[in-house]
Amino acid sequence: MTRPPRKRETHLHKDGSVRAKGWLRDGTLDGYWEWFRKNGTIMRSGHFDMGRQVGEWTTYNAKGEVYKVTTMKG
């Protein structure tokens, strides 16, 4: 059985700046995603496997520098 294709998705803050971007498959987070602050700096990034956080997830400080890396348990 083949999986349906992924679709690129972008979510915006109320002011129109990018809040998050990544991939959806069947309406579910699937693939690499990034979240951003209103000023445009990256806040968090990581991968999903059909809605489940997997692998390494990175949290960034207010300057966009790596603050911590968390490995999600499968």
Side-chain angles (χ1 to χ4, degrees), residues 13-55:
H13 290 285
K14 288 182 181 180
D15 68 2
S17 61
V18 175
R19 181 174 63 90
K21 61 183 178 180
W23 295 92
L24 292 179
R25 188 186 310 265
D26 266 355
T28 302
L29 303 178
D30 188 56
Y32 182 71
W33 274 82
E34 297 175 314
W35 283 264
F36 301 89
R37 294 176 181 83
K38 288 184 180 180
N39 69 5
T41 58
I42 191 165
M43 186 168 52
R44 186 144 190 187
S45 64
H47 286 84
F48 284 93
D49 182 8
M50 291 306 290
R52 196 181 90 237
Q53 290 177 298
V54 294

Side-chain angles (χ1 to χ4, degrees), residues 56-73:
E56 287 187 350
W57 277 76
T58 305
T59 303
Y60 303 86
N61 67 18
K63 294 179 183 178
E65 302 164 335
V66 174
Y67 171 72
K68 71 177 179 176
V69 176
T70 304
T71 301
M72 298 300 173
K73 297 186 180 182

